[in-house]
Amino acid sequence: MSTQKKAKSALISVFHKDGLEPIVRKLHELGVALYSTGGTEAFIRKLDIPVIPVESVTGYPSILGGRVKTLHPKVFGGILSRRDLKDDRAQLQEYEIPELDIVIVDLYPFEKTVAEGAGEQEIIEKIDIGGISLIRAAAKNYKDVLCVATMQDYGKLLELLEKGNGESSLEDRQGFAANAFNVSSHYDAAIFNYFNRKAGIPALKISEPGGRSLRYGENPHQKGIFYGDFDALFEQLHGKELSYNNLLDIDAAVNLMQEFDGDDPTFAILKHNNACGLATRSSLSEAYTDALAGDPVSAFGGILICNRPMDAETAAKIHELFCEVVIAPAFEADALEILKGKKNRILLVQKPTELPKDQIRTCLNGILYQDKDLKTDSVQDLNYATEKRPDKRELEDLLFASKLCKHTKSNTIVLAKNKQLCASGTGQTSRVDALNQAIHKAGSFNFDLDGAVMASDAFFPFPDCVEIAHGSGIRAVIQPGGSIKDQLSIDFCNENGIAMILTGTRHFKH
């Protein structure tokens, strides 16, 4: 038996009418009988195209305020009947059930309604029953029925109708069915997640209905795909296609710069998810210059981000550096033209969109979930552990360093002075190694650490770190505290005129 099927009938019942007219007109041109309900039926009639009300088939009107329209054996029988089975064909004839060859249905905008902050009853009414049932039935019977479950597939359907003159292959129908189940499963996941806000069932439902293939994964021999709506967060103005590693660095950059939202002009340069340069200044140009000074070597091929619109003066300086990505809230016209001078340089406008508040990663044969570390150390959190208190400049530097420490791979030590990153020790197996790395790096770029401050992502188990820091000129320290030997570090600071602040919050990042 041929797998080609020529459509003779179609059921159309959609919430969104955008883009529907060309399809309706094409189906009518092909002699396809149209069945419909409610608003869609009225839409088709306004086009002066004949349409058969579903009520005339079922013998029942739309009832319960529209909650029940298509839930009837005469509708689902026409969708689920197996055309190659004699008994199914006989039952359709016995009960006067018309075959339905194409089903075009979409779903009530449940996610949009939730996102808009609607009341509970309005949200509940946007849980589609008839539509989701029609989609599942039509997709299940893809051998005989073509199911279109989203307006995003209208273009593909119209192309198929025009090319095939109303015919579809088994492969065509199977492809539409797969996307229909993608739509329905995403919809169900969204509903569960809404209810689970209160229920707290220990189950994880993640659904991203769209994705973009990447050139490769972390390395060229690995496959990479990004699932999510990147365009909701960014507008790409220029440059090559984003890579897997670009996306990881962009994620790190955006989360770091969120700490400085509303602060004076701040610029950060990142490499392999860690900041190698960061500075806050009175102008963006100065902030960039001092961020670059933090590590001009690592900045090569880095990710650049700022919290102010990109101006021409700053752009001209950046243009001298090879960098992969530049992110800003906006780009002035002159700045954009300068930065477009490198054809592959990726330029992103970050849109004012809220970032996720949770984190998910694969682990062993399962998934780890946690709340995102949204705690930013502030003046209100500080416990002054030593006799000496930091002065105003030192306090500002300590909070500046603490923000960066939170976004640097553990174990980490951050050294800062005058709201500029001097150096950091990143991803070390011991805190002493992290500190020694930071001190060595600061020296290699000619930073004077006399009067600088030190931030640690976790407590000091021994006083060795404050001893080493003191020898390099560090005059103030911020750390979570919590070690049973905290007092040893505090005593050393008291004996040597170092101010120490305890935050009470650890900021591990693995």
Side-chain angles (χ1 to χ4, degrees), residues 466-507:
V466 290
E467 291 168 1
I468 296 169
H470 174 255
S472 296
I474 302 298
R475 295 292 175 262
V477 177
I478 186 169
Q479 57 122 336
S483 168
I484 58 173
K485 296 184 179 180
D486 271 348
Q487 196 59 46
L488 294 178
S489 294
I490 294 170
D491 288 345
F492 181 87
C493 289
N494 281 331
E495 291 165 6
N496 292 276
I498 299 174
M500 177 178 283
I501 291 176
L502 305 181
T503 65
T505 304
R506 189 181 72 185
H507 292 292

mmCIF file of all heavy atoms in Angstrom, residues 466-507:
data_model
loop_
_atom_site.group_PDB
_atom_site.id
_atom_site.type_symbol
_atom_site.label_atom_id
_atom_site.label_comp_id
_atom_site.label_asym_id
_atom_site.label_seq_id
_atom_site.Cartn_x
_atom_site.Cartn_y
_atom_site.Cartn_z
ATOM 1 N N VAL A 466 46.897 34.476 55.760
ATOM 2 C CA VAL A 466 47.040 35.871 56.209
ATOM 3 C C VAL A 466 48.508 36.206 56.463
ATOM 4 O O VAL A 466 48.930 37.359 56.295
ATOM 5 C CB VAL A 466 46.168 36.156 57.461
ATOM 6 C CG1 VAL A 466 44.686 36.149 57.090
ATOM 7 C CG2 VAL A 466 46.458 35.186 58.586
ATOM 8 N N GLU A 467 49.293 35.223 56.845
ATOM 9 C CA GLU A 467 50.731 35.449 57.037
ATOM 10 C C GLU A 467 51.400 35.801 55.701
ATOM 11 O O GLU A 467 52.183 36.755 55.604
ATOM 12 C CB GLU A 467 51.381 34.198 57.641
ATOM 13 C CG GLU A 467 50.964 33.928 59.074
ATOM 14 C CD GLU A 467 51.393 32.547 59.548
ATOM 15 O OE1 GLU A 467 52.039 31.814 58.756
ATOM 16 O OE2 GLU A 467 51.084 32.181 60.702
ATOM 17 N N ILE A 468 51.062 35.019 54.650
ATOM 18 C CA ILE A 468 51.633 35.270 53.320
ATOM 19 C C ILE A 468 51.136 36.614 52.783
ATOM 20 O O ILE A 468 51.905 37.401 52.211
ATOM 21 C CB ILE A 468 51.254 34.126 52.349
ATOM 22 C CG1 ILE A 468 51.885 32.813 52.816
ATOM 23 C CG2 ILE A 468 51.688 34.455 50.929
ATOM 24 C CD1 ILE A 468 51.350 31.584 52.090
ATOM 25 N N ALA A 469 49.847 36.889 52.967
ATOM 26 C CA ALA A 469 49.255 38.130 52.471
ATOM 27 C C ALA A 469 49.921 39.345 53.115
ATOM 28 O O ALA A 469 50.223 40.342 52.448
ATOM 29 C CB ALA A 469 47.752 38.136 52.737
ATOM 30 N N HIS A 470 50.158 39.249 54.418
ATOM 31 C CA HIS A 470 50.797 40.358 55.139
ATOM 32 C C HIS A 470 52.176 40.646 54.567
ATOM 33 O O HIS A 470 52.585 41.814 54.406
ATOM 34 C CB HIS A 470 50.895 40.010 56.625
ATOM 35 C CG HIS A 470 51.654 41.021 57.419
ATOM 36 N ND1 HIS A 470 52.951 40.785 57.877
ATOM 37 C CD2 HIS A 470 51.339 42.275 57.816
ATOM 38 C CE1 HIS A 470 53.371 41.846 58.531
ATOM 39 N NE2 HIS A 470 52.417 42.770 58.523
ATOM 40 N N GLY A 471 52.886 39.610 54.231
ATOM 41 C CA GLY A 471 54.215 39.782 53.671
ATOM 42 C C GLY A 471 54.217 40.459 52.318
ATOM 43 O O GLY A 471 55.244 40.990 51.877
ATOM 44 N N SER A 472 53.077 40.461 51.650
ATOM 45 C CA SER A 472 52.980 41.100 50.334
ATOM 46 C C SER A 472 52.323 42.476 50.389
ATOM 47 O O SER A 472 52.107 43.094 49.349
ATOM 48 C CB SER A 472 52.173 40.199 49.387
ATOM 49 O OG SER A 472 52.846 38.981 49.160
ATOM 50 N N GLY A 473 51.965 42.940 51.604
ATOM 51 C CA GLY A 473 51.410 44.287 51.734
ATOM 52 C C GLY A 473 49.908 44.358 51.856
ATOM 53 O O GLY A 473 49.330 45.451 51.877
ATOM 54 N N ILE A 474 49.234 43.197 51.922
ATOM 55 C CA ILE A 474 47.775 43.196 52.062
ATOM 56 C C ILE A 474 47.404 43.793 53.416
ATOM 57 O O ILE A 474 47.956 43.418 54.457
ATOM 58 C CB ILE A 474 47.219 41.753 51.955
ATOM 59 C CG1 ILE A 474 47.614 41.120 50.617
ATOM 60 C CG2 ILE A 474 45.705 41.743 52.133
ATOM 61 C CD1 ILE A 474 47.086 41.814 49.403
ATOM 62 N N ARG A 475 46.411 44.717 53.415
ATOM 63 C CA ARG A 475 46.046 45.413 54.646
ATOM 64 C C ARG A 475 44.623 45.136 55.123
ATOM 65 O O ARG A 475 44.224 45.590 56.191
ATOM 66 C CB ARG A 475 46.225 46.926 54.450
ATOM 67 C CG ARG A 475 47.676 47.346 54.226
ATOM 68 C CD ARG A 475 48.492 47.125 55.499
ATOM 69 N NE ARG A 475 49.912 47.410 55.276
ATOM 70 C CZ ARG A 475 50.822 46.491 55.018
ATOM 71 N NH1 ARG A 475 50.457 45.210 54.962
ATOM 72 N NH2 ARG A 475 52.087 46.808 54.821
ATOM 73 N N ALA A 476 43.827 44.395 54.315
ATOM 74 C CA ALA A 476 42.457 44.077 54.740
ATOM 75 C C ALA A 476 42.024 42.777 54.066
ATOM 76 O O ALA A 476 42.425 42.491 52.927
ATOM 77 C CB ALA A 476 41.499 45.208 54.400
ATOM 78 N N VAL A 477 41.202 42.002 54.779
ATOM 79 C CA VAL A 477 40.804 40.672 54.308
ATOM 80 C C VAL A 477 39.305 40.491 54.508
ATOM 81 O O VAL A 477 38.754 40.888 55.548
ATOM 82 C CB VAL A 477 41.554 39.565 55.078
ATOM 83 C CG1 VAL A 477 41.096 38.184 54.635
ATOM 84 C CG2 VAL A 477 43.057 39.719 54.919
ATOM 85 N N ILE A 478 38.645 39.863 53.503
ATOM 86 C CA ILE A 478 37.242 39.484 53.645
ATOM 87 C C ILE A 478 37.129 37.991 53.346
ATOM 88 O O ILE A 478 37.697 37.498 52.371
ATOM 89 C CB ILE A 478 36.325 40.317 52.712
ATOM 90 C CG1 ILE A 478 34.847 40.019 52.989
ATOM 91 C CG2 ILE A 478 36.657 40.111 51.239
ATOM 92 C CD1 ILE A 478 33.886 40.987 52.311
ATOM 93 N N GLN A 479 36.456 37.278 54.232
ATOM 94 C CA GLN A 479 36.305 35.826 54.078
ATOM 95 C C GLN A 479 35.071 35.382 54.848
ATOM 96 O O GLN A 479 34.568 36.104 55.716
ATOM 97 C CB GLN A 479 37.562 35.119 54.591
ATOM 98 C CG GLN A 479 37.914 35.430 56.038
ATOM 99 C CD GLN A 479 37.985 34.178 56.914
ATOM 100 O OE1 GLN A 479 37.376 33.154 56.614
ATOM 101 N NE2 GLN A 479 38.722 34.265 58.021
ATOM 102 N N PRO A 480 34.548 34.185 54.554
ATOM 103 C CA PRO A 480 33.309 33.752 55.206
ATOM 104 C C PRO A 480 33.466 33.483 56.698
ATOM 105 O O PRO A 480 32.544 33.714 57.479
ATOM 106 C CB PRO A 480 32.943 32.453 54.476
ATOM 107 C CG PRO A 480 33.703 32.498 53.195
ATOM 108 C CD PRO A 480 34.959 33.257 53.487
ATOM 109 N N GLY A 481 34.636 32.962 57.110
ATOM 110 C CA GLY A 481 34.776 32.487 58.477
ATOM 111 C C GLY A 481 34.098 31.145 58.628
ATOM 112 O O GLY A 481 33.493 30.607 57.701
ATOM 113 N N GLY A 482 34.190 30.580 59.805
ATOM 114 C CA GLY A 482 33.551 29.288 60.060
ATOM 115 C C GLY A 482 34.512 28.174 60.374
ATOM 116 O O GLY A 482 34.100 27.061 60.714
ATOM 117 N N SER A 483 35.806 28.442 60.295
ATOM 118 C CA SER A 483 36.801 27.433 60.656
ATOM 119 C C SER A 483 36.900 27.336 62.178
ATOM 120 O O SER A 483 36.756 28.333 62.894
ATOM 121 C CB SER A 483 38.162 27.815 60.078
ATOM 122 O OG SER A 483 39.178 27.003 60.631
ATOM 123 N N ILE A 484 37.187 26.132 62.664
ATOM 124 C CA ILE A 484 37.372 25.981 64.116
ATOM 125 C C ILE A 484 38.649 26.695 64.568
ATOM 126 O O ILE A 484 38.856 26.912 65.767
ATOM 127 C CB ILE A 484 37.421 24.491 64.528
ATOM 128 C CG1 ILE A 484 38.556 23.761 63.798
ATOM 129 C CG2 ILE A 484 36.075 23.814 64.237
ATOM 130 C CD1 ILE A 484 38.760 22.334 64.286
ATOM 131 N N LYS A 485 39.480 27.075 63.581
ATOM 132 C CA LYS A 485 40.715 27.790 63.897
ATOM 133 C C LYS A 485 40.691 29.230 63.397
ATOM 134 O O LYS A 485 41.737 29.837 63.139
ATOM 135 C CB LYS A 485 41.920 27.047 63.309
ATOM 136 C CG LYS A 485 42.115 25.655 63.925
ATOM 137 C CD LYS A 485 43.366 24.970 63.391
ATOM 138 C CE LYS A 485 43.545 23.603 64.053
ATOM 139 N NZ LYS A 485 44.763 22.914 63.539
ATOM 140 N N ASP A 486 39.492 29.798 63.241
ATOM 141 C CA ASP A 486 39.362 31.197 62.824
ATOM 142 C C ASP A 486 40.207 32.129 63.692
ATOM 143 O O ASP A 486 40.828 33.070 63.196
ATOM 144 C CB ASP A 486 37.896 31.652 62.915
ATOM 145 C CG ASP A 486 37.119 31.394 61.634
ATOM 146 O OD1 ASP A 486 37.746 31.075 60.612
ATOM 147 O OD2 ASP A 486 35.878 31.504 61.670
ATOM 148 N N GLN A 487 40.221 31.837 64.992
ATOM 149 C CA GLN A 487 40.875 32.764 65.918
ATOM 150 C C GLN A 487 42.376 32.898 65.641
ATOM 151 O O GLN A 487 42.960 33.963 65.873
ATOM 152 C CB GLN A 487 40.653 32.314 67.370
ATOM 153 C CG GLN A 487 40.961 33.388 68.403
ATOM 154 C CD GLN A 487 40.113 34.639 68.206
ATOM 155 O OE1 GLN A 487 38.903 34.562 68.008
ATOM 156 N NE2 GLN A 487 40.761 35.806 68.256
ATOM 157 N N LEU A 488 42.995 31.840 65.109
ATOM 158 C CA LEU A 488 44.419 31.918 64.790
ATOM 159 C C LEU A 488 44.679 32.984 63.728
ATOM 160 O O LEU A 488 45.638 33.767 63.828
ATOM 161 C CB LEU A 488 44.933 30.562 64.316
ATOM 162 C CG LEU A 488 44.933 29.417 65.345
ATOM 163 C CD1 LEU A 488 45.432 28.126 64.701
ATOM 164 C CD2 LEU A 488 45.795 29.789 66.557
ATOM 165 N N SER A 489 43.826 33.023 62.696
ATOM 166 C CA SER A 489 43.969 34.038 61.644
ATOM 167 C C SER A 489 43.637 35.423 62.187
ATOM 168 O O SER A 489 44.307 36.415 61.862
ATOM 169 C CB SER A 489 43.059 33.704 60.457
ATOM 170 O OG SER A 489 43.469 32.516 59.820
ATOM 171 N N ILE A 490 42.598 35.499 63.027
ATOM 172 C CA ILE A 490 42.204 36.785 63.612
ATOM 173 C C ILE A 490 43.325 37.324 64.502
ATOM 174 O O ILE A 490 43.664 38.519 64.452
ATOM 175 C CB ILE A 490 40.890 36.629 64.399
ATOM 176 C CG1 ILE A 490 39.734 36.297 63.455
ATOM 177 C CG2 ILE A 490 40.579 37.900 65.195
ATOM 178 C CD1 ILE A 490 38.453 35.888 64.146
ATOM 179 N N ASP A 491 43.920 36.443 65.298
ATOM 180 C CA ASP A 491 45.014 36.873 66.187
ATOM 181 C C ASP A 491 46.186 37.425 65.379
ATOM 182 O O ASP A 491 46.774 38.458 65.738
ATOM 183 C CB ASP A 491 45.490 35.695 67.039
ATOM 184 C CG ASP A 491 44.481 35.318 68.117
ATOM 185 O OD1 ASP A 491 43.571 36.131 68.379
ATOM 186 O OD2 ASP A 491 44.598 34.202 68.671
ATOM 187 N N PHE A 492 46.534 36.755 64.305
ATOM 188 C CA PHE A 492 47.650 37.245 63.490
ATOM 189 C C PHE A 492 47.334 38.624 62.919
ATOM 190 O O PHE A 492 48.199 39.514 62.904
ATOM 191 C CB PHE A 492 47.962 36.266 62.350
ATOM 192 C CG PHE A 492 49.108 36.709 61.492
ATOM 193 C CD1 PHE A 492 50.417 36.383 61.828
ATOM 194 C CD2 PHE A 492 48.894 37.503 60.354
ATOM 195 C CE1 PHE A 492 51.484 36.828 61.047
ATOM 196 C CE2 PHE A 492 49.954 37.944 59.588
ATOM 197 C CZ PHE A 492 51.246 37.611 59.928
ATOM 198 N N CYS A 493 46.102 38.793 62.449
ATOM 199 C CA CYS A 493 45.704 40.093 61.888
ATOM 200 C C CYS A 493 45.785 41.183 62.960
ATOM 201 O O CYS A 493 46.258 42.298 62.698
ATOM 202 C CB CYS A 493 44.286 40.015 61.310
ATOM 203 S SG CYS A 493 44.178 39.046 59.784
ATOM 204 N N ASN A 494 45.316 40.869 64.167
ATOM 205 C CA ASN A 494 45.383 41.856 65.257
ATOM 206 C C ASN A 494 46.835 42.225 65.581
ATOM 207 O O ASN A 494 47.158 43.386 65.844
ATOM 208 C CB ASN A 494 44.694 41.308 66.501
ATOM 209 C CG ASN A 494 43.181 41.417 66.418
ATOM 210 O OD1 ASN A 494 42.650 42.322 65.763
ATOM 211 N ND2 ASN A 494 42.468 40.502 67.076
ATOM 212 N N GLU A 495 47.701 41.239 65.553
ATOM 213 C CA GLU A 495 49.113 41.481 65.885
ATOM 214 C C GLU A 495 49.845 42.274 64.809
ATOM 215 O O GLU A 495 50.880 42.898 65.077
ATOM 216 C CB GLU A 495 49.820 40.135 66.091
ATOM 217 C CG GLU A 495 49.355 39.397 67.340
ATOM 218 C CD GLU A 495 49.784 37.940 67.336
ATOM 219 O OE1 GLU A 495 50.548 37.540 66.406
ATOM 220 O OE2 GLU A 495 49.356 37.189 68.237
ATOM 221 N N ASN A 496 49.293 42.280 63.574
ATOM 222 C CA ASN A 496 50.010 42.889 62.459
ATOM 223 C C ASN A 496 49.232 44.003 61.765
ATOM 224 O O ASN A 496 49.575 44.399 60.634
ATOM 225 C CB ASN A 496 50.391 41.809 61.440
ATOM 226 C CG ASN A 496 51.431 40.852 61.988
ATOM 227 O OD1 ASN A 496 52.629 41.117 61.945
ATOM 228 N ND2 ASN A 496 50.963 39.717 62.538
ATOM 229 N N GLY A 497 48.199 44.497 62.413
ATOM 230 C CA GLY A 497 47.478 45.653 61.888
ATOM 231 C C GLY A 497 46.695 45.402 60.619
ATOM 232 O O GLY A 497 46.547 46.293 59.777
ATOM 233 N N ILE A 498 46.156 44.206 60.474
ATOM 234 C CA ILE A 498 45.337 43.864 59.308
ATOM 235 C C ILE A 498 43.867 43.850 59.732
ATOM 236 O O ILE A 498 43.520 43.293 60.776
ATOM 237 C CB ILE A 498 45.719 42.484 58.733
ATOM 238 C CG1 ILE A 498 47.170 42.490 58.270
ATOM 239 C CG2 ILE A 498 44.804 42.099 57.582
ATOM 240 C CD1 ILE A 498 47.676 41.126 57.828
ATOM 241 N N ALA A 499 43.004 44.451 58.924
ATOM 242 C CA ALA A 499 41.556 44.401 59.176
ATOM 243 C C ALA A 499 40.990 43.137 58.550
ATOM 244 O O ALA A 499 41.300 42.814 57.400
ATOM 245 C CB ALA A 499 40.880 45.632 58.592
ATOM 246 N N MET A 500 40.151 42.426 59.318
ATOM 247 C CA MET A 500 39.504 41.230 58.773
ATOM 248 C C MET A 500 38.007 41.311 58.977
ATOM 249 O O MET A 500 37.528 41.630 60.083
ATOM 250 C CB MET A 500 40.043 39.948 59.424
ATOM 251 C CG MET A 500 39.326 38.683 58.924
ATOM 252 S SD MET A 500 39.981 37.142 59.623
ATOM 253 C CE MET A 500 41.474 36.957 58.650
ATOM 254 N N ILE A 501 37.280 41.005 57.922
ATOM 255 C CA ILE A 501 35.814 40.984 57.953
ATOM 256 C C ILE A 501 35.347 39.569 57.656
ATOM 257 O O ILE A 501 35.844 38.905 56.735
ATOM 258 C CB ILE A 501 35.230 41.958 56.912
ATOM 259 C CG1 ILE A 501 35.501 43.402 57.317
ATOM 260 C CG2 ILE A 501 33.745 41.746 56.730
ATOM 261 C CD1 ILE A 501 35.048 44.409 56.290
ATOM 262 N N LEU A 502 34.374 39.110 58.428
ATOM 263 C CA LEU A 502 33.734 37.812 58.185
ATOM 264 C C LEU A 502 32.339 38.056 57.628
ATOM 265 O O LEU A 502 31.584 38.881 58.148
ATOM 266 C CB LEU A 502 33.650 37.008 59.482
ATOM 267 C CG LEU A 502 34.964 36.779 60.246
ATOM 268 C CD1 LEU A 502 34.708 35.932 61.499
ATOM 269 C CD2 LEU A 502 36.001 36.122 59.357
ATOM 270 N N THR A 503 31.987 37.326 56.557
ATOM 271 C CA THR A 503 30.664 37.505 55.915
ATOM 272 C C THR A 503 29.661 36.454 56.341
ATOM 273 O O THR A 503 28.461 36.665 56.241
ATOM 274 C CB THR A 503 30.804 37.435 54.387
ATOM 275 O OG1 THR A 503 31.222 36.112 54.012
ATOM 276 C CG2 THR A 503 31.810 38.455 53.885
ATOM 277 N N GLY A 504 30.143 35.300 56.776
ATOM 278 C CA GLY A 504 29.236 34.218 57.151
ATOM 279 C C GLY A 504 28.690 33.444 55.957
ATOM 280 O O GLY A 504 27.873 32.543 56.132
ATOM 281 N N THR A 505 29.134 33.780 54.732
ATOM 282 C CA THR A 505 28.615 33.110 53.524
ATOM 283 C C THR A 505 29.754 32.602 52.659
ATOM 284 O O THR A 505 30.586 33.395 52.203
ATOM 285 C CB THR A 505 27.740 34.067 52.687
ATOM 286 O OG1 THR A 505 26.692 34.571 53.501
ATOM 287 C CG2 THR A 505 27.137 33.337 51.492
ATOM 288 N N ARG A 506 29.793 31.303 52.445
ATOM 289 C CA ARG A 506 30.787 30.716 51.567
ATOM 290 C C ARG A 506 30.324 30.831 50.117
ATOM 291 O O ARG A 506 29.138 30.738 49.824
ATOM 292 C CB ARG A 506 30.995 29.238 51.916
ATOM 293 C CG ARG A 506 32.169 28.592 51.194
ATOM 294 C CD ARG A 506 32.299 27.128 51.579
ATOM 295 N NE ARG A 506 31.231 26.319 50.995
ATOM 296 C CZ ARG A 506 31.059 25.022 51.259
ATOM 297 N NH1 ARG A 506 31.859 24.392 52.122
ATOM 298 N NH2 ARG A 506 30.086 24.347 50.690
ATOM 299 N N HIS A 507 31.260 30.998 49.194
ATOM 300 C CA HIS A 507 30.919 31.137 47.783
ATOM 301 C C HIS A 507 31.740 30.168 46.919
ATOM 302 O O HIS A 507 32.443 30.578 46.001
ATOM 303 C CB HIS A 507 31.139 32.571 47.306
ATOM 304 C CG HIS A 507 30.203 33.563 47.896
ATOM 305 N ND1 HIS A 507 28.853 33.569 47.612
ATOM 306 C CD2 HIS A 507 30.411 34.593 48.756
ATOM 307 C CE1 HIS A 507 28.272 34.568 48.263
ATOM 308 N NE2 HIS A 507 29.189 35.199 48.985
#
